[in-house]
Amino acid sequence: MNDWPEGFSGDNRGRRYGRGSSSAQPESARVMRQVRRGPAASPGQAPYGGAPPYGGGVPPQPSYVDGGGHGPGDGYDSGYNTGQVYGSPGGRGPGGPGDGMYEPRPAPNWRRRIKVTAITLVTLLVVTSVGTYFWADSKLNREVDLSKVIDRPEAGEGTNYLIVGSDSRKGMSAEEKKKLHTGSAEGKRTDSMMILHTGGGAPTLISLPRDSNVTIPSFKGSDSGKFYPATGRQTKLNAAYAEDGPELLVRTVEANTGLHIDHYVEIGFAGFASIVDAVGGVEMDIPKDIKDTKSGADLKKGRQTLDGEQALAFVRTRYALEGSDLDRTKNQQKFLSALANQVATPGTIMNPFKLYPTMSAGLDTLVVDKDMGLFDLASMFWAMKGVSGGDGKSMNMPIAGNAPNGNLQWNTAKVKTLVSQLKNDETVTVSGN
């Protein structure tokens, strides 16, 4: 008895095509085992309803209802009818979606990324700004106490800054003094004094010549607190500073003008040169050749960029100028306005490699009053930039001629009008000529 299905008998195996065959004819297609679609046969029953082959010793075979030994009601789905392999959609195999190994990357959420980036940048900017503010505020030398000034005039509209350039050599080495032609005189004097008025209108910058004739008023010593009554003594304006420092200088300016000074700002030789170098120099148009052995100035006519050493020599020069101290004050105004304009440019403000050295150089050497804040200081610089840009006015204190002692005498009538206009924050119409 032959249990092989038709096509697999021994007779057919004699004429085979392929390996081990001597026939050149291919064998006929093999007949696959017939798969029954229906209920599986019960144990011990022949697949086709007959007696089980080989007796009862053959173990029951799995049903081929679904090709895997699973019945129609056990919930198993092989996926053959959908083209899926191993249960993965689309026939991708074991690495398809759902197995946790090769899930597709989700599309980037650009809106969320932009929002996170913006928040990060704003936070960084705020932290940097706050840190810079406290750092700069801590470096301000608030040494001048204007509360010690007595008998002060009433404050008017706007803000008045007294800006002083002193010949202080504090912290300078012998080599620096030689290089900057400052000499080695003891004590401190004022090389320049200016009043800057800011308010609702255009700013006004007024130079007070150091040789201005003034009357020293009654005052209290800044250190001793001792009262010194007025004696009518007349002297040069810069003598007040040399006698008792910034407090007496403010007291003298207020008493001789009637104008209230709100803030005091002073800078020495070294600090001035350091600021100029920190911003990379200041461009100036020199009207004519200047050579002065006392200040060290040796400048040619024309537009050029002055470094710290050249700038200091330029603003200190007076002996080489026809108008002496009056011409020097004009040069000082021009340069300080140009310096403020240079400091306030985006190239300095937006460049930390320029901004921080400039701020450090200035704040280390500036001396201000106890009520001065960074915003007040910034307002002063912006106002000076406005003067440089032509939005404001710069002038000398009106001069009438020489006093009997040889000092420069102010024009009383013009000064009175000027002070009235400044107090009321009006446009200044007075000329300094």
PDB file of all heavy atoms in Angstrom, residues 3 33 41-47 51-62 64:
ATOM      1  N   ASP A   3       1.195   5.017   0.694  1.00  0.00           N
ATOM      2  CA  ASP A   3       0.562   6.142   1.397  1.00  0.00           C
ATOM      3  C   ASP A   3       0.933   7.490   0.811  1.00  0.00           C
ATOM      4  O   ASP A   3       0.523   8.517   1.324  1.00  0.00           O
ATOM      5  CB  ASP A   3       0.954   6.102   2.886  1.00  0.00           C
ATOM      6  CG  ASP A   3       0.319   4.926   3.582  1.00  0.00           C
ATOM      7  OD1 ASP A   3      -0.759   4.496   3.144  1.00  0.00           O
ATOM      8  OD2 ASP A   3       0.928   4.476   4.573  1.00  0.00           O
ATOM      9  N   ARG A  33      -0.025  18.773  -0.772  1.00  0.00           N
ATOM     10  CA  ARG A  33      -0.987  18.111   0.084  1.00  0.00           C
ATOM     11  C   ARG A  33      -2.257  18.927   0.157  1.00  0.00           C
ATOM     12  O   ARG A  33      -2.217  20.136   0.357  1.00  0.00           O
ATOM     13  CB  ARG A  33      -0.389  17.963   1.489  1.00  0.00           C
ATOM     14  CG  ARG A  33      -1.327  17.279   2.460  1.00  0.00           C
ATOM     15  CD  ARG A  33      -0.611  17.114   3.774  1.00  0.00           C
ATOM     16  NE  ARG A  33      -1.456  16.445   4.719  1.00  0.00           N
ATOM     17  CZ  ARG A  33      -1.092  16.166   5.977  1.00  0.00           C
ATOM     18  NH1 ARG A  33       0.122  16.484   6.376  1.00  0.00           N
ATOM     19  NH2 ARG A  33      -1.913  15.534   6.783  1.00  0.00           N
ATOM     20  N   ALA A  41     -10.119  17.639  12.209  1.00  0.00           N
ATOM     21  CA  ALA A  41     -10.543  16.268  12.539  1.00  0.00           C
ATOM     22  C   ALA A  41     -10.323  16.014  13.998  1.00  0.00           C
ATOM     23  O   ALA A  41      -9.366  16.474  14.589  1.00  0.00           O
ATOM     24  CB  ALA A  41      -9.772  15.263  11.686  1.00  0.00           C
ATOM     25  N   SER A  42     -11.238  15.175  14.532  1.00  0.00           N
ATOM     26  CA  SER A  42     -11.097  14.845  15.946  1.00  0.00           C
ATOM     27  C   SER A  42      -9.959  13.888  16.144  1.00  0.00           C
ATOM     28  O   SER A  42      -9.560  13.170  15.227  1.00  0.00           O
ATOM     29  CB  SER A  42     -12.405  14.227  16.466  1.00  0.00           C
ATOM     30  OG  SER A  42     -12.711  13.054  15.716  1.00  0.00           O
ATOM     31  N   PRO A  43      -9.406  13.879  17.359  1.00  0.00           N
ATOM     32  CA  PRO A  43      -8.262  12.984  17.613  1.00  0.00           C
ATOM     33  C   PRO A  43      -8.612  11.543  17.296  1.00  0.00           C
ATOM     34  O   PRO A  43      -9.671  11.024  17.641  1.00  0.00           O
ATOM     35  CB  PRO A  43      -7.981  13.181  19.110  1.00  0.00           C
ATOM     36  CG  PRO A  43      -8.544  14.538  19.422  1.00  0.00           C
ATOM     37  CD  PRO A  43      -9.717  14.690  18.533  1.00  0.00           C
ATOM     38  N   GLY A  44      -7.669  10.905  16.590  1.00  0.00           N
ATOM     39  CA  GLY A  44      -7.840   9.498  16.264  1.00  0.00           C
ATOM     40  C   GLY A  44      -8.627   9.263  14.996  1.00  0.00           C
ATOM     41  O   GLY A  44      -8.838   8.118  14.611  1.00  0.00           O
ATOM     42  N   GLN A  45      -9.091  10.308  14.354  1.00  0.00           N
ATOM     43  CA  GLN A  45      -9.868  10.160  13.122  1.00  0.00           C
ATOM     44  C   GLN A  45      -8.996  10.490  11.945  1.00  0.00           C
ATOM     45  O   GLN A  45      -8.179  11.403  11.991  1.00  0.00           O
ATOM     46  CB  GLN A  45     -11.083  11.092  13.167  1.00  0.00           C
ATOM     47  CG  GLN A  45     -11.976  10.960  11.932  1.00  0.00           C
ATOM     48  CD  GLN A  45     -13.170  11.905  12.014  1.00  0.00           C
ATOM     49  OE1 GLN A  45     -13.380  12.516  13.048  1.00  0.00           O
ATOM     50  NE2 GLN A  45     -13.939  11.963  10.939  1.00  0.00           N
ATOM     51  N   ALA A  46      -9.203   9.791  10.857  1.00  0.00           N
ATOM     52  CA  ALA A  46      -8.426  10.046   9.649  1.00  0.00           C
ATOM     53  C   ALA A  46      -8.780  11.404   9.105  1.00  0.00           C
ATOM     54  O   ALA A  46      -9.901  11.855   9.260  1.00  0.00           O
ATOM     55  CB  ALA A  46      -8.702   8.944   8.614  1.00  0.00           C
ATOM     56  N   PRO A  47      -7.849  12.043   8.427  1.00  0.00           N
ATOM     57  CA  PRO A  47      -8.113  13.362   7.904  1.00  0.00           C
ATOM     58  C   PRO A  47      -9.278  13.415   6.959  1.00  0.00           C
ATOM     59  O   PRO A  47      -9.957  14.416   6.841  1.00  0.00           O
ATOM     60  CB  PRO A  47      -6.814  13.735   7.208  1.00  0.00           C
ATOM     61  CG  PRO A  47      -5.762  12.899   7.851  1.00  0.00           C
ATOM     62  CD  PRO A  47      -6.453  11.630   8.224  1.00  0.00           C
ATOM     63  N   ALA A  51     -10.169   5.518   8.348  1.00  0.00           N
ATOM     64  CA  ALA A  51      -9.421   5.040   9.516  1.00  0.00           C
ATOM     65  C   ALA A  51      -8.107   5.748   9.592  1.00  0.00           C
ATOM     66  O   ALA A  51      -7.485   6.047   8.592  1.00  0.00           O
ATOM     67  CB  ALA A  51      -9.224   3.527   9.418  1.00  0.00           C
ATOM     68  N   PRO A  52      -7.642   6.015  10.746  1.00  0.00           N
ATOM     69  CA  PRO A  52      -6.354   6.705  10.883  1.00  0.00           C
ATOM     70  C   PRO A  52      -5.211   5.852  10.380  1.00  0.00           C
ATOM     71  O   PRO A  52      -5.158   4.675  10.677  1.00  0.00           O
ATOM     72  CB  PRO A  52      -6.250   6.963  12.387  1.00  0.00           C
ATOM     73  CG  PRO A  52      -7.119   5.960  13.019  1.00  0.00           C
ATOM     74  CD  PRO A  52      -8.233   5.658  12.061  1.00  0.00           C
ATOM     75  N   PRO A  53      -4.319   6.435   9.567  1.00  0.00           N
ATOM     76  CA  PRO A  53      -3.179   5.660   9.087  1.00  0.00           C
ATOM     77  C   PRO A  53      -2.235   5.322  10.224  1.00  0.00           C
ATOM     78  O   PRO A  53      -2.139   6.059  11.200  1.00  0.00           O
ATOM     79  CB  PRO A  53      -2.530   6.586   8.068  1.00  0.00           C
ATOM     80  CG  PRO A  53      -2.923   7.970   8.480  1.00  0.00           C
ATOM     81  CD  PRO A  53      -4.283   7.822   9.087  1.00  0.00           C
ATOM     82  N   TYR A  54      -1.553   4.256  10.023  1.00  0.00           N
ATOM     83  CA  TYR A  54      -0.551   3.795  11.003  1.00  0.00           C
ATOM     84  C   TYR A  54      -1.155   3.474  12.343  1.00  0.00           C
ATOM     85  O   TYR A  54      -0.494   3.508  13.371  1.00  0.00           O
ATOM     86  CB  TYR A  54       0.566   4.827  11.221  1.00  0.00           C
ATOM     87  CG  TYR A  54       1.194   5.289   9.934  1.00  0.00           C
ATOM     88  CD1 TYR A  54       0.983   6.570   9.456  1.00  0.00           C
ATOM     89  CD2 TYR A  54       1.987   4.408   9.175  1.00  0.00           C
ATOM     90  CE1 TYR A  54       1.549   6.985   8.263  1.00  0.00           C
ATOM     91  CE2 TYR A  54       2.543   4.836   7.981  1.00  0.00           C
ATOM     92  CZ  TYR A  54       2.339   6.104   7.523  1.00  0.00           C
ATOM     93  OH  TYR A  54       2.888   6.519   6.356  1.00  0.00           O
ATOM     94  N   GLY A  55      -2.432   3.259  12.337  1.00  0.00           N
ATOM     95  CA  GLY A  55      -3.055   2.897  13.609  1.00  0.00           C
ATOM     96  C   GLY A  55      -3.253   4.112  14.489  1.00  0.00           C
ATOM     97  O   GLY A  55      -3.273   5.239  14.061  1.00  0.00           O
ATOM     98  N   GLY A  56      -3.387   3.839  15.731  1.00  0.00           N
ATOM     99  CA  GLY A  56      -3.637   4.964  16.664  1.00  0.00           C
ATOM    100  C   GLY A  56      -2.390   5.558  17.253  1.00  0.00           C
ATOM    101  O   GLY A  56      -2.476   6.323  18.179  1.00  0.00           O
ATOM    102  N   GLY A  57      -1.225   5.081  16.726  1.00  0.00           N
ATOM    103  CA  GLY A  57       0.002   5.603  17.347  1.00  0.00           C
ATOM    104  C   GLY A  57       0.455   6.941  16.823  1.00  0.00           C
ATOM    105  O   GLY A  57       1.403   7.492  17.339  1.00  0.00           O
ATOM    106  N   VAL A  58      -0.165   7.386  15.768  1.00  0.00           N
ATOM    107  CA  VAL A  58       0.265   8.683  15.209  1.00  0.00           C
ATOM    108  C   VAL A  58      -0.410   9.809  15.977  1.00  0.00           C
ATOM    109  O   VAL A  58      -1.623   9.808  16.138  1.00  0.00           O
ATOM    110  CB  VAL A  58      -0.108   8.765  13.717  1.00  0.00           C
ATOM    111  CG1 VAL A  58       0.303  10.115  13.148  1.00  0.00           C
ATOM    112  CG2 VAL A  58       0.557   7.638  12.965  1.00  0.00           C
ATOM    113  N   PRO A  59       0.351  10.728  16.441  1.00  0.00           N
ATOM    114  CA  PRO A  59      -0.248  11.814  17.221  1.00  0.00           C
ATOM    115  C   PRO A  59      -1.139  12.683  16.365  1.00  0.00           C
ATOM    116  O   PRO A  59      -0.944  12.777  15.158  1.00  0.00           O
ATOM    117  CB  PRO A  59       0.961  12.606  17.716  1.00  0.00           C
ATOM    118  CG  PRO A  59       2.047  12.320  16.756  1.00  0.00           C
ATOM    119  CD  PRO A  59       1.807  10.903  16.290  1.00  0.00           C
ATOM    120  N   PRO A  60      -2.129  13.276  16.937  1.00  0.00           N
ATOM    121  CA  PRO A  60      -3.041  14.145  16.169  1.00  0.00           C
ATOM    122  C   PRO A  60      -2.291  15.324  15.580  1.00  0.00           C
ATOM    123  O   PRO A  60      -1.398  15.883  16.194  1.00  0.00           O
ATOM    124  CB  PRO A  60      -4.060  14.589  17.210  1.00  0.00           C
ATOM    125  CG  PRO A  60      -3.380  14.448  18.524  1.00  0.00           C
ATOM    126  CD  PRO A  60      -2.454  13.255  18.374  1.00  0.00           C
ATOM    127  N   GLN A  61      -2.638  15.654  14.354  1.00  0.00           N
ATOM    128  CA  GLN A  61      -1.980  16.749  13.645  1.00  0.00           C
ATOM    129  C   GLN A  61      -2.772  18.037  13.836  1.00  0.00           C
ATOM    130  O   GLN A  61      -3.988  18.019  13.983  1.00  0.00           O
ATOM    131  CB  GLN A  61      -1.893  16.411  12.149  1.00  0.00           C
ATOM    132  CG  GLN A  61      -1.115  15.140  11.867  1.00  0.00           C
ATOM    133  CD  GLN A  61       0.318  15.267  12.318  1.00  0.00           C
ATOM    134  OE1 GLN A  61       0.963  16.231  11.980  1.00  0.00           O
ATOM    135  NE2 GLN A  61       0.812  14.302  13.083  1.00  0.00           N
ATOM    136  N   PRO A  62      -2.084  19.181  13.775  1.00  0.00           N
ATOM    137  CA  PRO A  62      -2.782  20.458  13.936  1.00  0.00           C
ATOM    138  C   PRO A  62      -3.655  20.753  12.744  1.00  0.00           C
ATOM    139  O   PRO A  62      -3.375  20.313  11.632  1.00  0.00           O
ATOM    140  CB  PRO A  62      -1.654  21.474  14.070  1.00  0.00           C
ATOM    141  CG  PRO A  62      -0.504  20.861  13.358  1.00  0.00           C
ATOM    142  CD  PRO A  62      -0.630  19.374  13.595  1.00  0.00           C
ATOM    143  N   TYR A  64      -5.265  22.844   9.776  1.00  0.00           N
ATOM    144  CA  TYR A  64      -4.719  23.838   8.851  1.00  0.00           C
ATOM    145  C   TYR A  64      -5.787  24.801   8.391  1.00  0.00           C
ATOM    146  O   TYR A  64      -5.785  25.295   7.273  1.00  0.00           O
ATOM    147  CB  TYR A  64      -4.089  23.139   7.633  1.00  0.00           C
ATOM    148  CG  TYR A  64      -2.799  22.462   7.979  1.00  0.00           C
ATOM    149  CD1 TYR A  64      -2.814  21.168   8.448  1.00  0.00           C
ATOM    150  CD2 TYR A  64      -1.605  23.140   7.869  1.00  0.00           C
ATOM    151  CE1 TYR A  64      -1.626  20.537   8.782  1.00  0.00           C
ATOM    152  CE2 TYR A  64      -0.428  22.520   8.197  1.00  0.00           C
ATOM    153  CZ  TYR A  64      -0.438  21.217   8.654  1.00  0.00           C
ATOM    154  OH  TYR A  64       0.739  20.619   8.981  1.00  0.00           O
TER     155      TYR A  64
END
